[in-house]
C-alpha cells in the first residue's frame, strides 16, 4: 500500500511554473499585468507530462490562451487580464446582435427532419415550434414523441439533427 502511494507521488507531472512562463512569454506580458495572464496556473493541477506543449489564442479578442497537449491529451484555458477600455470594447462587440437572417422556417410549419450518411438515412415528420433561419437550431414536435427534438434548419420544410452534415 505504501509502495503504491510512493509510486503515485513520484509519477511525472507537468511543471505548472514552466507553463506560467510559457504563457507569459506567449502573451508578451507578465502575470497580473494588462495583456498578461490574470493569475498563475494552479500548482495543484496534476497534468501528465507533455513533451510538446502548444499555445494559441482562444479567440481573436486575445482574452485567453489555450495551452494544450496532443499526447497525453489535455487542455487548459488561461484568462488574460484585459485593459479596462479594451475589455469594455470586447464585451460590446460580443454582445452586438448579428444582423437578422431571413427566417426560412416559421412556427407551425410542417417539417421533415432528415439525418443520414452513405447507406443510411432516417426521416421524421414534425411541426416547427419556433422560427429559424438557415443553420439555426429550433425545436420540433414529432408525432410519436412526447418531447420535442432539436433540429437545424436547412431549407423551407427541411431540417436535420444537430451534428449531421448534409
Amino acid at each position: 500500500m505504501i509502495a503504491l502511494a510512493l509510486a503515485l507521488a513520484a509519477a511525472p507531472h507537468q511543471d505548472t511554473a514552466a507553463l506560467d512562463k510559457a504563457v507569459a512569454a506567449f502573451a508578451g506580458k507578465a502575470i497580473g499585468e494588462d495583456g498578461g495572464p490574470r493569475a498563475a496556473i494552479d500548482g495543484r493541477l496534476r497534468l501528465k507530462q507533455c513533451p510538446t506543449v502548444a499555445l494559441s489564442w482562444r479567440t481573436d479578442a486575445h482574452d485567453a490562451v489555450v495551452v494544450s497537449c496532443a499526447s497525453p491529451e489535455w487542455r487548459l484555458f488561461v484568462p488574460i487580464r484585459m485593459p479596462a477600455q479594451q475589455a469594455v470594447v470586447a464585451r460590446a462587440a460580443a454582445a452586438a446582435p448579428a444582423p437578422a437572417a431571413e427566417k426560412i422556417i416559421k412556427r407551425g410549419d410542417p417539417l421533415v427532419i432528415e439525418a443520414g450518411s452513405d447507406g443510411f438515412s432516417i426521416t421524421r415528420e414534425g411541426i416547427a415550434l419556433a422560427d429559424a433561419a438557415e443553420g439555426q437550431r429550433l425545436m420540433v414536435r414529432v408525432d410519436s414523441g412526447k418531447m420535442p427534438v432539436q433540429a437545424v434548419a436547412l431549407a423551407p420544410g427541411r431540417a436535420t439533427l444537430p451534428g449531421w452534415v448534409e
Side-chain angles (χ1 to χ4, degrees), residues 11-163:
H13 295 291
Q14 188 69 38
D15 180 12
T16 57
L19 292 177
D20 286 331
K21 289 178 186 176
V23 171
F26 181 81
K29 299 287 183 167
I31 295 172
E33 291 182 10
D34 284 348
R38 283 189 201 164
I41 297 171
D42 191 342
R44 296 174 292 183
L45 285 175
R46 297 293 176 236
L47 301 168
K48 290 188 178 188
Q49 190 69 262
C50 182
T52 307
V53 175
L55 301 169
S56 62
W57 291 109
R58 184 178 73 91
T59 66
D60 290 336
H62 293 200
D63 58 348
V65 174
V66 180
V67 183
S68 60
C69 181
S71 180
E73 190 175 348
W74 53 260
R75 179 172 55 173
L76 296 173
F77 294 88
V78 180
I80 297 297
R81 182 180 170 132
M82 304 294 282
Q85 183 178 2
Q86 188 177 358
V88 170
V89 170
R91 276 192 226 111
E102 180 185 346
K103 304 295 183 183
I104 59 171
I105 296 176
K106 305 282 187 203
R107 181 180 180 172
D109 283 355
L111 292 178
V112 174
I113 303 173
E114 308 164 343
S117 60
D118 293 339
F120 163 80
S121 76
I122 185 170
T123 60
R124 298 293 294 212
E125 292 182 355
I127 303 293
L129 297 179
D131 296 349
E134 184 176 353
Q136 199 172 33
R137 293 182 183 221
L138 73 148
M139 298 303 289
V140 178
R141 182 184 326 265
V142 291
D143 295 332
S144 63
K146 293 181 182 177
M147 298 293 292
V149 297
Q150 192 175 74
V152 178
L154 296 176
R158 288 186 51 224
T160 188
L161 295 175

